[in-house]
Amino acid sequence: MQTKPELLSPIVNIAKRHHYRGVTLDFFMSCWKVIIHAIEEKVNSLTGYDAEDVHYLQSVIRKTYDACETLFLKEWMETQVDILQDELMKSNREMTLSKNKYQNIFDGVSDLIIVTDSNGNIVELNTAAKKYFEKYLNQENLCVCDLLGTDCDSLFVSFWGLSDDDEKYITLNRNDHFLMKVCSLDKVAQNYKGYIVMLNDVTGVVIRNQMLKNEVNKKTSELRKSKKFFQSIFSSTNAGIFIFDSDFKVYTQNRTAENIVGMDAQHLNNLGVNSYLIIEDGSGVTNVMKNLESNSTWSGELRLNTCNNTIYILATINAMDVEDEKFYSLIFIDISEIKNLEYQLVSEKRMVEEKNIALRNVIQAMMDENEKNIKELCKYASFQLESMLDEITTESRYEVRKELKSNILLKMRSFKDEFHDSEQSDEFASLTHSESIVCNYIKAGYSSKEIAEKLNVSIDTIQTHRKNIRKKFGITDKCINLYSYVKSNY
């Protein structure tokens, strides 16, 4: 019996599918042997068949196995050649694409790229390098040293010893600045000796850096000047200045503050700020600082305990942020003399008020006494005049009545002389009785309201008396105070 290949095509197709899935020939043949052995065992276990028939089946199975093995081997070998050819063509295409891609990158980048052999002779330049080094391209045996303007020995010593990660700045044509990186080609291909020199144009960056450097130098110079101005003002100002940090420790203080306090920063920090700066209500100054937001201020009076005594200061506290750290400035002036004058004025004012009260009481007593004397005088005059009038009434003789009348007039003049001060001026004498009383109260320092209460009249009546008094005294200037005028002239 001969096995026909077409009868085995289903089995061959199964082998192809496994081959395409990546199954190797050895693995597939091992599986196929297992299947054949299983079939043979099954045939051997058959009963009811002649030995000759069983032997025939076994020979068929063997021939089928041998034929399949040949077909499988052929399939794997032919397919392997096809696959290798396909892979080779695919690799060639990929290499061509990669070469084109990297060639495009090589020619398209703006960096200057120079490929050299192991001696530094130029093998290839990209488009940017050809354009930049155009004037050198006509020379034969062109070396990279010619392009970079240095000798090869110096170049190899300076650059070829660099690692692939090292970079170095160089200057070409005086004003063009490049960042140079050198890579060895033997890391790409072992048998290829040479280098790739990459020059990245950093002229703009260098110029910008120089401009920034000049700007930084300018700003630094201005900061130095500002610092000197600040230090000059800080040291020479007559106001004391403390600078506290976020922990309320003295960061620095000017000379005026140190002279006033009489202690250095370390001594003050040992004491604690609340022990030498006290608010009028007795609380510490740290409460004020804690409640201050950045760029906000607080102003008020504080007590400052110095090494010798306690003084009063007028202080301004400002909160500020410096590089994410909070600081507080306290600027103060000594107002102890002003406070002492203030206390002295308050004391003198209190004494004047007490004297004024005493004077008012004395004047009131004098006026009460004067009023009593007037009443007694009126009573005495009334008694004297009544007796004389009675005599006139009863006397019939003309001469006697005339004499009595003359005596009455003399008596009345004597009463008038006793009532009025002989040294008073004509102006004061021109006042009415009510105006005289009001004028005496004004001289004693009573207000219009107080005089109205004393005399049991309205304030308008007192104001009318005041106008009449000013008119009779000839006071036309409204700037002249009636109290001052009366006190100094009468």
Side-chain angles (χ1 to χ4, degrees):
M1 170 186 170
Q2 292 186 1
T3 303
K4 295 182 179 181
E6 59 269 14
L7 296 177
L8 301 176
S9 59
I11 299 175
V12 174
N13 290 334
I14 292 173
K16 286 182 178 180
R17 286 199 300 272
H18 283 80
H19 186 197
Y20 293 153
R21 290 173 183 173
V23 178
T24 63
L25 177 62
D26 293 338
F27 181 77
F28 187 81
M29 288 303 299
S30 298
C31 295
W32 178 243
K33 285 180 181 179
V34 171
I35 295 171
I36 293 300
H37 289 160
I39 294 173
E40 286 180 342
E41 289 178 358
K42 188 68 175 175
V43 169
N44 291 332
S45 65
L46 291 176
T47 59
Y49 291 92
D50 295 335
E52 186 177 350
D53 294 335
V54 172
H55 180 73
Y56 176 75
L57 287 174
Q58 288 179 347
S59 65
V60 171
I61 292 170
R62 294 283 180 184
K63 290 180 180 180
T64 301
Y65 172 78
D66 293 338
C68 287
E69 185 177 15
T70 303
L71 291 174
F72 293 160
L73 181 60
K74 178 182 179 183
E75 171 62 29
W76 248 268
M77 293 300 294
E78 290 178 353
T79 305
Q80 190 69 22
V81 173
D82 294 339
I83 290 174
L84 289 175
Q85 289 179 349
D86 291 341
E87 288 293 331
L88 181 60
M89 292 178 65
K90 182 179 179 182
S91 297
N92 289 334
R93 286 195 300 271
E94 290 179 354
M95 288 181 63
T96 303
L97 290 173
S98 297
K99 180 181 178 182
N100 292 335
K101 179 173 68 174
Y102 288 111
Q103 186 66 39
N104 291 334
I105 295 173
F106 182 75
D107 290 330
V109 294
S110 58
D111 293 348
L112 310 184
I113 300 177
I114 306 170
V115 181
T116 73
D117 59 17
S118 58
N119 296 320
N121 296 319
I122 294 176
V123 176
E124 189 176 0
L125 298 172
N126 71 338
T127 303
K130 289 178 181 178
K131 184 175 180 181
Y132 187 83
F133 297 112
E134 184 178 4
K135 62 181 180 180
Y136 299 99
L137 298 182
N138 295 328
Q139 300 179 15
E140 295 183 359
N141 299 324
L142 189 61
C143 179
V144 68
C145 304
D146 300 329
L147 301 182
L148 301 183
T150 183
D151 59 275
C152 289
D153 292 338
S154 299
L155 184 67
F156 292 149
V157 171
S158 301
F159 300 133
W160 291 165
L162 298 176
S163 67
D164 290 346
D165 295 328
D166 290 334
E167 296 176 334
K168 189 164 185 173
Y169 286 96
I170 64 171
T171 302
L172 301 177
N173 297 331
R174 294 187 178 180
N175 296 321
D176 297 335
H177 304 276
F178 293 90
L179 184 64
M180 188 180 80
K181 185 174 183 181
V182 178
C183 296
S184 177
L185 289 176
D186 59 2
K187 294 185 179 181
V188 180
Q190 286 186 337
N191 296 326
Y192 194 91
K193 302 297 182 180
Y195 300 92
I196 295 179
V197 181
M198 291 173 285
L199 302 174
N200 182 17
D201 189 355
V202 292
T203 304
V205 176
V206 171
I207 293 174
R208 282 195 297 272
N209 288 343
Q210 187 62 42
M211 292 174 64
L212 288 173
K213 184 178 179 181
N214 294 337
E215 188 67 21
V216 168
N217 291 336
K218 180 181 178 182
K219 295 295 182 183
T220 304
S221 177
E222 292 176 354
L223 284 173
R224 288 197 190 99
K225 291 181 181 178
S226 299
K227 183 179 180 180
K228 289 182 180 179
F229 293 152
F230 171 76
Q231 288 178 339
S232 176
I233 296 172
F234 185 77
S235 301
S236 62
T237 180
N238 291 328
I241 302 176
F242 288 113
I243 304 295
F244 298 96
D245 59 17
S246 57
D247 296 325
F248 310 113
K249 300 290 186 181
V250 177
Y251 183 78
T252 185
Q253 62 180 341
N254 70 343
R255 190 180 306 162
T256 304
E258 188 170 353
N259 291 338
I260 293 175
V261 179
M263 293 177 280
D264 58 17
Q266 184 177 358
H267 192 179
L268 291 174
N269 289 335
N270 292 335
L271 293 175
V273 64
N274 286 333
S275 64
Y276 58 87
L277 285 173
I278 304 169
I279 302 177
E280 283 297 315
D281 60 5
S283 61
V285 75
T286 53
N287 293 331
V288 173
M289 294 182 180
K290 289 177 182 177
N291 295 327
L292 281 179
E293 297 180 355
S294 297
N295 300 322
S296 58
T297 59
W298 175 91
S299 297
E301 293 183 6
L302 300 174
R303 293 200 308 271
L304 175 61
N305 295 327
T306 68
C307 62
N308 297 322
N309 55 6
T310 299
I311 64 173
Y312 289 90
I313 60 173
L314 183 62
T316 299
I317 302 175
N318 179 56
M320 53 189 172
D321 289 332
V322 180
E323 295 182 353
D324 298 329
E325 186 176 356
K326 202 162 190 177
F327 288 88
Y328 304 90
S329 65
L330 189 149
I331 304 173
F332 68 93
I333 58 173
D334 185 356
I335 58 170
S336 298
E337 294 184 2
I338 298 175
K339 294 291 287 188
N340 291 335
L341 289 174
E342 183 179 326
Y343 291 144
Q344 185 177 351
L345 288 174
V346 170
S347 177
E348 290 179 356
K349 181 181 179 182
R350 189 180 299 112
M351 292 176 61
V352 170
E353 288 177 350
E354 292 174 355
K355 290 181 179 179
N356 192 24
I357 292 172
L359 181 61
R360 287 186 180 185
N361 293 333
V362 171
I363 293 174
Q364 182 64 42
M366 292 176 62
M367 293 184 69
D368 293 341
E369 182 68 22
N370 188 35
E371 187 174 354
K372 180 180 177 182
N373 293 334
I374 291 173
K375 289 180 179 179
E376 291 179 355
L377 182 61
C378 290
K379 183 177 179 182
Y380 174 74
S382 176
F383 175 77
Q384 294 290 329
L385 290 175
E386 284 180 359
S387 61
M388 290 183 182
L389 289 174
D390 289 341
E391 291 182 8
I392 292 176
T393 304
T394 57
E395 183 61 49
S396 59
R397 291 172 293 180
Y398 175 75
E399 286 79 5
V400 176
R401 292 178 64 182
K402 184 177 180 181
E403 185 179 355
L404 289 172
K405 182 178 180 182
S406 177
N407 290 334
I408 290 171
L409 291 174
L410 291 172
K411 200 70 175 176
M412 291 179 68
R413 287 193 184 96
S414 67
F415 293 155
K416 181 179 179 182
D417 292 339
E418 291 181 16
F419 184 75
H420 295 286
D421 187 1
S422 60
E423 293 181 358
Q424 288 183 331
S425 65
D426 293 339
E427 294 173 345
F428 196 85
S430 65
L431 301 178
T432 64
H433 177 65
S434 299
E435 291 170 353
S436 298
I437 295 173
V438 172
C439 190
N440 286 328
Y441 275 114
I442 292 173
K443 185 177 180 181
Y446 284 83
S447 65
S448 297
K449 182 179 180 181
E450 292 172 336
I451 298 172
E453 291 175 354
K454 289 285 185 182
L455 300 180
N456 197 22
V457 294
S458 67
I459 295 179
D460 292 337
T461 301
I462 300 303
Q463 293 294 346
T464 301
H465 287 320
R466 292 177 72 100
K467 288 180 182 179
N468 293 334
I469 292 170
R470 293 179 70 91
K471 184 177 180 182
K472 291 180 179 180
F473 284 176
I475 303 173
T476 58
D477 190 351
K478 293 182 179 180
C479 296
I480 297 176
N481 183 270
L482 183 58
Y483 163 77
S484 301
Y485 184 85
V486 172
K487 192 170 182 65
S488 61
N489 290 281
Y490 301 98

